Amino acid sequence: MTAVQGTAVDVRTEDGTADAYVTHPAAGGPYPAVLLYMDAFGLRPRLREMADRLAGAGYTVLVPNVFYRNGRAPVAELPEFIDPAARPDLFRLLGPAFEALTPERAMRDADAYLRWLERYPAAADGPVALTGYCMGAGLALRTAGTYPDRVAAAAGFHGADLATEAPDSPHLVAGRITAELYFGHADQDPGLPAEQQDRLTAALAEAGVRHRCEVYEGARHGYTQADTAAYDPKAAERHWAALLDLLGRTF
C-alpha cells in the first residue's frame, strides 16, 4: 500500500471547532477528496486506520468528529474492544451528542467540512466523495442531497434509520441528489429493517438516482468496525471492494 501521511486538524464551523483527522499519500498530489463520516462510537484508532487505508488507494480523506459540540474525541471513554455488554452504557453516555446533532446542524457542519477540503492543498479541485458508517451513512445521504453540486459519489455501510417515516428522514433528499450512490446493508439489521431498505431503494429509483443497494448476508450492524464484536472480515473486505469500485468510476 502507498505510504500515507496523517495528522490531527481542526475545522472551524458556524458552531465551533470540529477536531478531525486528515490523511493522504505521503508523496505527490493533490488527490481526490473523500469525506468519511464516523459511526456512533466516533473518531478513534479504527476510523483512522480505515482512513489511512483509503488514502493509500490514492485519496485525501477527512474524518471529522461530528460530535464536537459535546467535546473532542472520544466524547465518551471507549474500551479498546467494544463488546455487546458495553454498548448500553456507551449509548447512554453518547445520548446528548446524538441529540445535539440535528439534521440542520449536521448539514451546516457538512458545508464547513467541504469548504475545508476545498482549501486543503492535498485535496484536488472539484466534487468530493462521501462514505459513512452506521449513523454516518445517513449523514452521507443527507450531504449528497443538500450539496449536490459538490458531491460526485456517496456510499453508506450498515446504515441506520436511512428511510424512516419521520418528516426529516434522510431518504427524502433523494430528489436533489446528482451523485452516484452505493449502500451495503447489514443482513437483518434492526437499525435498517427490510421495510426501510425497500423505502430507500424506491425513493432513489423514483428520483432517477444512479445507485446500487446490496444486502451483505450474514453480516451484522457494524460489520466494518474491527474494534467491535460485530466485525466481519469477509463483509469488511467486500465493503472495501465496493467503495473503491465506486470511487474509481466517479473520480
Side-chain angles (χ1 to χ4, degrees):
M1 189 176 79
T2 301
V4 301
Q5 177 180 332
T7 188
V9 296
D10 285 339
V11 178
R12 290 288 302 169
T13 75
E14 289 189 22
D15 298 338
T17 301
D19 50 310
Y21 178 72
V22 67
T23 179
H24 52 80
Y31 297 95
V34 180
L35 175 58
L36 191 159
Y37 278 122
M38 62 187 228
D39 66 349
F41 299 126
L43 180 56
R44 61 194 191 281
R46 173 55 182 166
L47 288 191
R48 294 184 184 93
E49 292 170 1
M50 294 176 69
D52 284 344
R53 177 165 174 176
L54 187 52
Y59 300 97
T60 290
V61 186
L62 177 68
V63 192
N65 167 26
V66 303
F67 287 159
Y68 71 87
R69 291 176 180 81
N70 296 76
R72 298 180 75 86
V75 173
E77 185 175 354
L78 299 172
E80 289 187 11
F81 184 78
I82 303 170
D83 61 28
R87 294 174 71 92
D89 285 342
L90 286 175
F91 281 115
R92 177 178 55 80
L93 293 171
L94 291 169
F98 281 109
E99 293 175 6
L101 190 66
T102 63
E104 294 78 14
R105 289 174 174 172
M107 291 303 96
R108 287 205 305 269
D109 292 345
D111 178 60
Y113 305 146
L114 294 172
R115 289 185 183 277
W116 190 92
L117 283 168
E118 288 173 2
R119 298 189 298 268
Y120 190 58
D125 294 338
V128 308
L130 316 169
T131 184
Y133 302 86
C134 180
M135 59 170 278
L139 294 175
L141 180 56
R142 286 190 194 279
T143 302
T146 305
Y147 303 106
D149 294 340
R150 298 156 74 182
V151 177
F157 299 93
H158 46 83
D161 297 326
L162 297 180
T164 71
E165 295 182 344
D168 60 355
S169 176
H171 79 288
L172 297 176
V173 304
R176 301 194 296 273
I177 292 173
T178 59
E180 182 175 347
L181 305 188
Y182 176 90
F183 289 95
H185 305 316
D187 189 21
Q188 301 181 19
D189 187 346
L192 195 75
E195 59 267 25
Q196 285 198 44
Q197 295 178 22
D198 293 344
R199 189 178 294 132
L200 173 63
T201 299
L204 296 176
E206 183 177 352
V209 177
R210 292 168 296 154
H211 71 281
R212 182 183 303 170
C213 297
E214 298 182 327
V215 176
Y216 289 24
E217 293 186 7
R220 293 179 290 172
H221 181 82
Y223 61 77
T224 62
Q225 303 303 306
D227 57 354
T228 76
Y231 181 59
D232 184 322
K234 183 177 179 180
E237 287 304 311
R238 179 179 174 182
H239 131 269
W240 283 117
L243 178 57
L244 292 173
D245 180 61
L246 175 69
L247 299 184
R249 291 197 308 274
T250 52
F251 274 133

